[in-house]
């Protein structure tokens, strides 16, 4: 996606709104997936040094920034699809439809800054929470430690909801509106169908399936992230492994659906496979 979008911008010398969103989203996804793999590798094979204060803080803070940014960019992509495809007559929707191209750069930048702001406080709270969970509560200052732990957990929960729940709401609302609009239009096309195969009708049905799959991936990722941040699983437990696997698979699945639902993105993998087959022969 990044290669195709960047090449399209270079060739046309114009950065379209869609390409801009895809570049932001693909970059954030690439760095997020790479960071999660590195984080998992260090937690498994370098556990003593991984739980040192500076290293743990850096990894969790950067993860929260990349995670929240990726969620926001996916939400803005859903908003862009909704404004371009859906047909509603409300005045706000018409206003947004006319101005989405000029507003999108500011929406992307603002959400990046918001993600940065909501991730920075993790730099001083993550280690305190981890230390207070692992330290012995039989120490003389145990009541003070429990209060600190509770306050830190409350702050982290509030920051998480501010950084991740807001884009979830934006994504869910825009996706549901888009599915509703496509569904109504599809029903109208089915009623007017003459019995022959209608490519436009099939395109609408395919779009509904794609948007619905986007919503499933997004919600599954969100639930897994909530479970991970809640610390309800023991380290290296089956539950934790399942959540990490879901968090890794959902962005990849969303990306694959984006590629195969867009002819422009399908062209490059098909070309690569064609050249690979020619070399094998």
């Amino acid at each position: 996606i990044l290669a195709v979008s960047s090449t399209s911008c270079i060739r046309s010398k114009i950065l379209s709104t869609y390409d801009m969103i895809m570049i932001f989203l693909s970059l954030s996804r690439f760095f997020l997936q790479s960071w999660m793999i590195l984080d998992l590798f260090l937690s498994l094979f370098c556990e003593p040094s991984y739980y040192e204060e500076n290293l743990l803080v850096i990894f969790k803070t950067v993860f929260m920034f990349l995670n929240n940014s990726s969620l926001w960019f996916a939400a803005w992509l859903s908003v862009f699809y909704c404004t371009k495809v859906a047909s509603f007559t409300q005045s706000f929707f018409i206003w947004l439809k006319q101005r989405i191209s000029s507003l999108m750069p500011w929406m992307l930048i603002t959400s990046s800054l918001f993600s940065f702001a909501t991730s920075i406080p993790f730099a001083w709270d993550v280690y305190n929470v981890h230390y207070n969970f692992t330290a012995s509560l039989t120490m003389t200052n145990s009541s003070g430690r429990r209060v600190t732990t509770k306050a830190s957990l409350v702050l982290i929960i509030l920051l998480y909801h501010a950084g991740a729940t807001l884009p979830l709401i934006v994504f869910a609302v825009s996706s549901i509106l888009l599915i509703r609009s496509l569904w109504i239009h599809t029903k109208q096309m089915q009623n007017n169908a003459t019995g022959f195969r209608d490519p436009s009708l099939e395109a609408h049905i395919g779009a509904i399936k794609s948007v619905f799959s986007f919503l499933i991936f997004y919600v599954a990722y969100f639930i897994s992230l909530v479970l991970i941040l809640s610390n309800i699983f023991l380290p290296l437990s089956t539950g934790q492994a399942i959540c990490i696997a879901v968090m890794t698979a959902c962005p990849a699945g969303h990306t694959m659906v984006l590629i195969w639902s867009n002819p422009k993105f399908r062209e490059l993998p098909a070309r690569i496979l064609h050249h690979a087959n020619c070399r094998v022969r």
Side-chain angles (χ1 to χ4, degrees):
I1 292 176
L2 179 62
V4 173
S5 299
S6 301
T7 303
S8 176
C9 295
I10 294 173
R11 287 177 178 176
S12 62
K13 297 182 180 180
I14 297 175
L15 182 60
S16 66
T17 305
Y18 181 75
D19 286 334
M20 184 190 308
I21 300 172
M22 297 310 298
I23 289 173
F24 271 78
L25 179 60
S26 57
L27 280 174
S28 66
R29 287 276 172 81
F30 173 78
F31 287 121
L32 177 62
Q33 294 284 70
S34 301
W35 198 260
M36 288 175 64
I37 293 173
L38 181 60
D39 179 77
L40 181 62
F41 177 83
L42 291 178
S43 64
L44 289 175
F45 301 104
C46 306
E47 186 176 356
S49 58
Y50 175 79
Y51 286 107
E52 291 179 0
E53 179 175 353
N54 293 335
L55 194 59
L56 180 65
V57 164
I58 291 172
F59 267 88
K60 297 308 177 186
T61 304
V62 173
F63 169 78
M64 290 308 301
F65 169 68
L66 294 174
N67 171 74
N68 292 346
S69 298
S70 178
L71 292 175
W72 273 114
F73 299 153
W76 295 139
L77 178 63
S78 180
V79 170
F80 181 76
Y81 280 151
C82 184
T83 56
K84 291 298 182 181
V85 177
S87 54
F88 296 104
T89 57
Q90 285 77 7
S91 57
F92 174 76
F93 185 83
I94 295 174
W95 177 87
L96 184 61
K97 192 180 187 73
Q98 294 172 345
R99 292 170 175 80
I100 188 66
S101 296
S102 59
L103 290 175
M104 187 55 66
W106 296 106
M107 293 161 71
L108 292 170
I109 294 172
T110 302
S111 58
S112 299
L113 295 175
F114 183 76
S115 299
F116 180 76
T118 55
S119 63
I120 284 299
F122 279 79
W124 64 78
D125 277 309
V126 167
Y127 178 71
N128 289 334
V129 172
H130 172 75
Y131 179 76
N132 286 319
F133 271 128
T134 55
S136 173
L137 292 178
T138 60
M139 300 174 65
T140 57
N141 214 7
S142 61
S143 61
R145 291 184 183 278
R146 284 194 292 268
V147 172
T148 303
T149 301
K150 184 177 179 180
S152 298
L153 280 173
V154 170
L155 177 60
I156 286 179
I157 291 171
L158 290 175
L159 288 172
Y160 171 73
H161 282 295
T165 307
L166 288 178
L168 173 67
I169 294 172
V170 173
F171 186 93
V173 171
S174 57
S175 296
I176 291 172
L177 289 175
L178 179 56
I179 291 173
R180 180 176 177 272
S181 178
L182 288 170
W183 183 260
I184 293 173
H185 196 197
T186 300
K187 285 296 182 182
Q188 292 174 350
M189 294 175 68
Q190 287 177 340
N191 293 332
N192 297 328
T194 58
F196 296 99
R197 187 174 179 179
D198 189 352
S200 181
L201 179 60
E202 292 182 355
H204 276 70
I205 295 175
I208 292 174
K209 292 179 181 178
S210 297
V211 176
F212 187 75
S213 65
F214 293 161
L215 187 59
I216 295 298
F217 283 133
Y218 203 103
V219 172
Y221 181 91
F222 180 84
I223 293 174
S224 299
L225 186 59
V226 169
L227 294 176
I228 287 291
L229 292 181
S230 300
N231 289 321
I232 64 175
F233 298 118
L234 295 174
L236 304 179
S237 64
T238 304
Q240 186 189 56
I242 292 174
C243 288
I244 293 175
V246 172
M247 290 174 61
T248 305
C250 284
H254 182 256
T255 302
M256 292 303 297
V257 175
L258 282 174
I259 291 174
W260 295 114
S261 62
N262 191 321
K264 183 173 72 171
F265 295 142
R266 284 203 308 265
E267 183 181 348
L268 182 59
R271 197 184 308 163
I272 294 174
L273 289 174
H274 176 72
H275 286 301
N277 290 332
C278 290
R279 289 184 179 180
V280 170
R281 291 174 184 175

